[in-house]
Amino acid sequence: MSPRKGAVALDAPETYRLVEHTPQRPGPGEARVDVHAVGVCGSDLDLYLGRRPAPYARYPVTPGHEWSGTVTAVGEGVSASLIGRKVVGEGIRNCETCAPCRAGETNLCAAGYEETGFTLPGAMAPTLVLPARLLHTLPPDADLTAAALLEPAACAAAAVLKACPLPGSRAAVIGSGTLGLLAAQLLGAFSPIELTVVGTSPDRADLSHRFGATSYRTWDRASGLSDFDLVIDAVGGTSTASAATSLLRPGGHLVLTGIPAQGAEGLDPARVVARQLSVGTAFGASSGAWSYAVSAFSTARLTPLELVTHQLGIDEFERAMALTESGDPRVGKVLLHPQSP
């Protein structure tokens, strides 16, 4: 096939080029996807700035692990009925045979870490080839722009499932960014009696309520919050995990997601044990969490489109990085469109 313009090649931290892209023929068991949109998140920024830990990054690489698109070709052994389907796809290349994979923890595959957009070619290119078994199909009328947020939604789903919410629970989410608000919307499906989002900016209050929060607090107004049955830390800041323990009732559940910042405060073992707190973690998303998020999206229980604030052409990669790094509360999810001229 003839080359197309517009693939990001990240040669080294803070060193990138826009290069011609030649669509690859999918091999046995693979599918080729025309990428509609690719999301930019903090992990992409860390990759760009060279802050991502060495085992989880490899240069040169084409970034992009949050994406949506349409299947345009399949390799040997893959049903041709997949061609034309709208899809999203898992990034972690699990082996399906090791003990964690067999236990359903495909995100913890023991065969070694490989992930689309970090160690393998990602979706900041017009097309992407990956194993067809990692694809999740969407309804024919699915909004592919909204679907580009299903990767962070799967990570949020992993945290929610780990929290084991029950109807009538008092729940809190720390973080009013993409991950936090997706977690809040998924928690809302369990009919909590109270769902509080704790963030840093008053500007996120209205959006948090639209995503299911019954109340919104900034940290400077969080005193007095306590006795929650479960808390999800969707920030991974230097002090958020420690602060979260003060929000829980004795016997409550804390789930940490996202890679914590360097120098993060540890949890006080005496406080955790004496109050019999349950602490869980979620790293990425298993295939089961992906299926849960896709089902919620396909039945309109998960509606992430409002989180998108910027849609840019692939030639605005550097601007996308700057927006993601800005910390501006008006910047939500930034999407790039590799098919744009």
Side-chain angles (χ1 to χ4, degrees):
M1 298 180 67
S2 59
R4 305 186 197 179
K5 290 289 186 182
V8 175
L10 187 58
D11 295 317
E14 299 187 73
T15 303
Y16 80 96
R17 297 170 292 132
L18 289 178
V19 299
E20 286 190 339
H21 172 79
T22 300
Q24 301 299 304
R25 187 183 303 276
E30 294 181 331
R32 186 178 69 229
V33 176
D34 270 12
V35 178
H36 171 78
V38 54
V40 180
C41 81
S43 296
D44 297 303
L45 181 63
D46 287 343
L47 180 73
Y48 175 64
L49 295 177
R51 300 189 306 213
R52 192 166 171 85
Y56 304 105
R58 185 182 303 142
Y59 304 92
V61 69
T62 294
H65 64 289
E66 304 178 2
W67 58 270
S68 63
T70 303
V71 177
T72 54
V74 297
E76 181 183 351
V78 180
S79 174
S81 64
L82 198 58
I83 296 175
R85 293 297 303 268
K86 295 178 178 180
V87 294
V88 291
E90 300 174 35
I92 294 177
R93 304 299 176 91
N94 56 76
C95 72
E96 298 186 301
T97 60
C98 68
C101 283
R102 287 182 178 274
E105 301 284 0
T106 53
N107 53 311
L108 302 179
C109 179
Y113 173 80
E114 295 284 358
E115 185 171 3
T116 299
F118 295 116
T119 65
L120 297 169
M124 291 188 188
T127 70
L128 175 67
V129 172
L130 75 165
R133 63 183 176 81
L134 298 179
L135 296 177
H136 292 259
T137 57
L138 304 173
D141 61 349
D143 183 336
L144 283 177
T145 300
L149 278 74
L150 280 173
E151 193 279 340
C155 296
V160 168
L161 293 172
K162 187 64 70 76
C164 301
L166 295 173
S169 296
R170 297 186 68 238
V173 175
I174 297 176
S176 57
T178 297
L179 193 61
L181 294 184
L182 290 172
Q185 193 167 68
L186 289 168
L187 280 170
F190 291 89
S191 301
I193 194 171
E194 180 179 348
L195 178 54
T196 296
V197 172
V198 182
T200 57
S201 171
D203 294 341
R204 303 294 280 183
D206 288 345
L207 186 60
S208 296
H209 283 109
R210 291 198 294 274
F211 271 74
T214 59
S215 64
Y216 179 83
R217 298 282 191 95
T218 51
W219 278 112
D220 60 336
R221 297 180 57 247
S223 60
L225 289 179
S226 61
D227 293 327
F228 286 96
D229 299 298
L230 64 97
V231 175
I232 294 176
D233 176 7
V235 175
T238 56
S239 61
T240 50
S242 179
T245 61
S246 67
L247 303 181
L248 287 163
R249 64 166 174 81
H253 296 263
L254 170 62
V255 177
L256 310 176
T257 188
I259 298 176
Q262 285 191 339
E265 294 178 24
L267 301 181
D268 180 354
R271 182 177 179 82
V272 171
V273 173
R275 302 182 71 234
Q276 199 171 304
L277 303 180
S278 297
V279 180
T281 60
F283 173 71
S286 67
S287 295
W290 267 94
S291 294
Y292 181 81
V294 170
S295 293
F297 176 77
S298 298
T299 55
R301 298 303 299 267
L302 183 68
T303 55
L305 184 61
E306 194 176 357
L307 295 175
V308 177
T309 58
H310 294 77
Q311 299 190 59
L312 310 174
I314 198 70
D315 58 338
E316 295 185 89
F317 170 79
E318 194 165 358
R319 183 186 173 206
M321 293 295 110
L323 286 167
T324 303
E325 190 179 19
S326 69
D328 187 334
R330 296 169 296 181
V331 177
K333 177 57 67 175
V334 178
L335 298 183
L336 295 174
H337 290 278
Q339 300 286 346
S340 299

